[in-house]
Amino acid sequence: MANIKSLARDTAIYGLSSIVGRFLNYLLVPIYTQKMSVESGEYGVITNVYAYVALLLVILTYGMETTFFRFANKQDENPEKVYSTALWTVGATSLLFVVVTMLNLQPIANLMQYGDHPDYIACMFTVVAIDAFQCILFAYLRYQKRPIKFAALKLLFIFVSIMLNLIYYVVMGGKDAATAFYINLFCTSAITFFFWKEMQGFRHGFDAKLLKRMLRYAWPILVLGIAGILNQTADKMLFPYLYREADMKQQLAIYGAVFKIAMIMAMITQAFRFAYEPIVFGKSQDKDSKEYLAMAMKYFLIFTLLAFLVVVAYIDLLKLLIGSDYWVGLRVVPIVMAAEIMMGVYFNLSFWYKLIDKTIWGAIFSGIGCAVLFAVNILFVPRYGYIACAWGGFAGYLTAMLLSYIVGQKYYPIAYPLKSMVVYVAIAALFSVLMMLGREHLPVWASIILNTAILGAFAAHIVHHDLPLEKLPVVRNYIKKKKN
């Protein structure tokens, strides 16, 4: 129970930085979508370029975050040497990436269909190289159980970014996408200076033999990461090549804008991962590690389903985050959120092969899931547009999740409370359908009242079956006082 409390505490801190940061970042979405009209397609450019950035970040970190945690927690390894080796390695490859990119900038820009704007590529590829290096620094903060500094730096980046965007797009009346990229470059670079203490880790030196062992562990995670990020971004990269209609940029802009609303699920999953990963590796030798994994899975599912219902319930309020011209794409939000929940479940399932050092399985599962996503996009995007992108992600994550569970039960069986979890999924599915029907047939105010009541029923089910009020720290004390 102490580990669950620690997980909850750290998840709350990481989650606060992630959720508050993303929420503040969402303030940029109405600015972008108001200043960049659907007709201009400028927001489609941002959506497309950031999809490439996400993929490149995975490639440039090549699994070294997870590898760092695994090796730093091994009894026969020196954690500081593991950290310094990861720091030197990722730093060197990031620098090499920037040099190679700048030497071949125009051909790369032409290939990405931005031949007229190579500055977009130069700017964002430099950002991703710095981000990759910072990933190891942030991972070290997580290893040291320092969520406060982690959260502070994440939020500082967001605050400075928002202020600069407000100055340019609101005060100065700017409308182009390029400035958003330059602001990102400035903020990312500035944050690096706050890691001066963590960068002292360079002095512990570089161990080539250790690196070989780390890379043997990391390369399947790289494949896993590439396949995983493609499940999130491939649709946005493929869309310009598959959807050949004249309004391609406009359609991509709509999809990118409504996708932002669905990303609340990604925030929850990310916060959970930041807190969960160091604890699991540190607890891997304990006798109750499997029970812990099963319990964490159940509570993760419960609260992500609750978040799913909150978004569906108040979609008519959340849509105000984006320009009204983009509302036509709101139908994809529940699909994308459901896919993100399955991605989170898949992440939870992934620990069985990480803990037995068989990360190749992750590469296989994610690769197959990615192939499913590609197939759905290639077959259906030309005809159905961005709605097929959403269903492609859903099908890809569903495939990877099921494969990981089936194979995992053979090699590292865990007694997940499947019956209870299935009941939660069924109830959430039923309630979401009722909410969407209410939204179709009732006035907005009546729909919100109905949806709030439905949310209350779901919360009551959670409290009754899995989270009794008398077990909650603050509420428990209040109940005791009332009884006395």
Side-chain angles (χ1 to χ4, degrees):
M1 184 57 72
N3 281 291
I4 289 291
K5 290 181 179 178
S6 176
L7 173 62
R9 184 192 65 245
D10 288 357
T11 299
I13 297 174
Y14 289 126
L16 180 64
S17 67
S18 181
I19 292 173
V20 172
R22 288 287 185 98
F23 175 76
L24 293 174
N25 213 15
Y26 276 157
L27 297 179
L28 298 177
V29 178
I31 295 173
Y32 290 158
T33 53
Q34 291 292 340
K35 293 294 183 178
M36 305 176 195
S37 65
V38 170
E39 290 73 20
S40 72
E42 285 286 294
Y43 195 71
V45 173
I46 290 179
T47 300
N48 182 245
V49 171
Y50 275 105
Y52 283 102
V53 166
L55 173 62
L56 287 170
L57 182 59
V58 171
I59 294 173
L60 289 177
T61 52
Y62 43 91
M64 291 301 282
E65 277 185 281
T66 300
T67 302
F68 162 68
F69 285 121
R70 178 58 174 159
F71 278 73
N73 284 286
K74 284 189 173 185
Q75 295 182 352
D76 55 344
E77 300 288 358
N78 181 344
E80 295 301 327
K81 181 65 72 173
V82 171
Y83 171 57
S84 63
T85 299
L87 207 57
W88 277 105
T89 305
V90 176
T93 52
S94 296
L95 179 61
L96 178 62
F97 171 78
V98 172
V99 172
V100 172
T101 297
M102 295 307 157
L103 292 176
N104 299 276
L105 185 58
Q106 193 61 53
I108 294 173
N110 293 340
L111 182 63
M112 295 175 61
Q113 301 185 6
Y114 293 109
D116 294 336
H117 296 284
D119 54 311
Y120 292 1
I121 310 307
C123 182
M124 294 313 297
F125 280 19
T126 303
V127 167
V128 78
I130 299 173
D131 274 341
F133 177 64
Q134 288 182 359
C135 278
I136 305 301
L137 298 170
F138 276 116
Y140 189 62
L141 292 179
R142 291 161 57 200
Y143 171 75
Q144 290 188 314
K145 301 292 194 302
R146 296 171 64 194
I148 299 298
K149 182 171 183 177
F150 181 101
L153 291 180
K154 291 287 185 181
L155 290 176
L156 177 63
F157 172 88
I158 295 294
F159 279 122
V160 175
S161 176
I162 288 175
M163 291 304 300
L164 293 177
N165 273 279
L166 286 172
I167 291 171
Y168 176 74
Y169 288 104
V170 177
V171 178
M172 299 175 62
K175 295 183 178 181
D176 65 280
T179 303
F181 298 147
Y182 286 116
I183 290 173
N184 196 334
L185 176 60
F186 171 78
C187 294
T188 302
S189 303
I191 289 298
T192 307
F193 293 100
F194 291 89
F195 283 108
W196 65 270
K197 185 176 181 180
E198 286 71 30
M199 284 192 285
Q200 300 300 311
F202 276 119
R203 71 175 185 269
H204 294 290
F206 172 81
D207 188 328
K209 292 182 178 179
L210 171 61
L211 177 62
K212 289 180 180 179
R213 297 197 301 274
M214 292 175 71
L215 290 177
R216 280 197 298 269
Y217 181 87
W219 78 261
I221 297 177
L222 169 60
V223 178
L224 165 64
I226 291 174
I229 201 65
L230 283 175
N231 274 317
Q232 298 180 47
T233 61
D235 50 359
K236 303 169 193 67
M237 291 186 286
L238 290 172
F239 196 83
Y241 301 99
L242 298 174
Y243 190 79
R244 307 303 296 178
E245 302 297 326
D247 64 341
M248 180 274 294
K249 286 187 177 180
Q250 292 87 339
Q251 293 297 304
L252 184 58
I254 292 171
Y255 182 54
V258 297
F259 198 89
K260 287 287 187 180
I261 295 177
M263 283 299 97
I264 188 171
M265 198 59 64
M267 288 188 276
I268 294 172
T269 302
Q270 185 182 56
F272 186 83
R273 173 177 173 260
F274 283 155
Y276 193 39
E277 200 167 41
I279 292 175
V280 169
F281 283 118
K283 187 178 170 61
S284 60
Q285 303 300 320
D286 294 355
K287 292 181 180 180
D288 64 342
S289 60
K290 289 188 177 182
E291 289 80 1
Y292 176 77
L293 288 169
M295 186 184 301
M297 169 73 87
K298 179 178 179 178
Y299 283 101
F300 170 81
L301 183 65
I302 288 173
F303 289 107
T304 51
L305 288 173
L306 178 61
F308 173 86
L309 290 176
V310 168
V311 173
V312 174
Y314 302 119
I315 191 72
D316 284 312
L317 299 177
L318 292 171
K319 71 182 183 182
L320 299 176
L321 289 170
I322 61 177
S324 58
D325 290 346
Y326 296 82
W327 292 355
V328 66
L330 289 172
R331 56 183 174 156
V332 307
V333 171
I335 305 170
V336 174
M337 288 191 69
E340 288 294 328
I341 290 176
M342 288 187 288
M343 189 272 285
V345 172
Y346 175 53
F347 170 76
N348 278 270
L349 293 170
S350 72
F351 280 101
W352 72 260
Y353 54 76
K354 292 177 182 177
L355 291 173
I356 63 173
D357 294 345
K358 297 291 184 182
T359 48
I360 186 63
W361 281 110
I364 293 171
F365 301 146
S366 292
I368 294 173
C370 189
V372 171
L373 178 144
F374 269 78
V376 172
N377 275 265
I378 291 170
L379 291 174
F380 298 109
V381 165
R383 182 174 179 180
Y384 297 104
Y386 58 79
I387 191 71
C389 295
W391 282 114
F394 183 97
Y397 281 130
L398 176 63
T399 301
M401 179 186 71
L402 291 176
L403 287 173
S404 185
Y405 173 76
I406 293 169
V407 178
Q409 290 304 99
K410 178 180 178 181
Y411 288 94
Y412 196 82
I414 297 174
Y416 294 109
L418 292 181
K419 182 179 178 180
S420 176
M421 291 166 65
V422 169
V423 168
Y424 272 106
V425 171
I427 293 174
L430 173 62
F431 283 179
S432 64
V433 170
L434 292 176
M435 288 177 176
M436 287 185 278
L437 288 174
R439 185 169 179 265
E440 274 186 41
H441 300 289
L442 296 174
V444 172
W445 64 268
S447 173
I448 290 176
I449 292 174
L450 172 64
N451 293 348
T452 302
I454 293 173
L455 276 176
F458 190 78
H461 180 83
I462 296 173
V463 169
H464 179 72
H465 290 279
D466 290 288
L467 203 63
L469 293 177
E470 57 268 21
K471 290 188 177 180
L472 297 178
V474 177
V475 179
R476 177 181 58 204
N477 296 334
Y478 177 78
I479 292 175
K480 285 182 178 178
K481 289 180 181 179
K482 294 290 285 185
K483 287 182 178 179
N484 295 332

